Amino acid sequence: MPNKALRILIADEQHFHRMLIERLFNQLDYYRVAPVQDLASMLTLVEYGCEPFDLVVVNAALAAGELDLLSYFLDNRQVRHALIFDGQRAQLPTIPANPQPRVQVSHAALPDLRCIQTLLAIIDPSSQERNQRYAG
């Protein structure tokens, strides 16, 4: 059974991308999702939130050279886990889920269901049983 208290933040300029990613989480019964469209909104929610985000999923292009996302998430106690996707565009090295780093970088243009399931298995181990039903 998923931990419905997980706080998830999705940051991408494209409304369609935010919607697709949010639907992947919803498909896996995660509904505490906050989508934002710009870097300033993401930073505001992270920095001034009363509790940390369990996961931030962010498009690397959102920072557009204004912020080193990798360092930001590695040093930020308000974010427990982060996925930076479309990292190739930002010339970030790929950092896979194994051996379960706090911050992962994917060169995929968008995270897919398998990527989200892999993240949730790390963040919410109780979700693994449910996610196995969606595998395939």
Side-chain angles (χ1 to χ4, degrees):
M1 175 153 246
N3 178 355
K4 296 190 183 237
L6 287 182
R7 298 183 73 222
I8 301 167
L9 177 64
I10 300 169
D12 192 309
E13 292 175 330
Q14 300 293 319
H15 173 73
F16 184 69
H17 291 174
R18 292 189 309 272
M19 189 174 64
L20 283 175
I21 297 167
E22 184 173 2
R23 284 186 180 166
L24 292 175
F25 284 107
N26 294 166
Q27 182 178 345
L28 298 170
D29 291 334
Y30 293 90
Y31 298 97
R32 201 170 175 199
V33 179
V36 296
Q37 70 181 6
D38 56 46
L39 184 63
S41 298
M42 182 191 82
L43 294 174
T44 299
L45 286 176
V46 168
E47 296 301 322
Y48 297 107
C50 54
E51 59 184 283
F53 279 96
D54 296 291
L55 174 62
V56 175
V57 179
V58 60
N59 186 329
L62 194 70
E66 292 180 45
L67 176 69
D68 177 356
L69 288 173
L70 190 56
S71 295
Y72 176 76
F73 288 123
L74 285 171
D75 295 334
N76 196 315
R77 293 181 184 198
Q78 285 293 96
V79 176
R80 292 190 176 115
H81 298 275
L83 170 66
I84 303 168
F85 66 92
D86 203 9
Q88 188 170 12
R89 187 185 314 179
Q91 299 177 341
L92 294 172
T94 299
I95 301 174
N98 296 321
Q100 303 180 0
R102 273 188 59 221
V103 179
Q104 298 171 36
V105 177
S106 169
H107 284 184
L110 281 173
D112 59 10
L113 184 61
R114 180 171 289 217
C115 178
I116 298 298
Q117 288 173 323
T118 302
L119 278 168
L120 291 173
I122 296 166
I123 298 164
D124 183 15
S126 67
S127 73
Q128 202 161 11
E129 178 184 308
R130 174 156 176 82
N131 289 343
Q132 287 174 352
R133 287 189 267 166
Y134 289 101

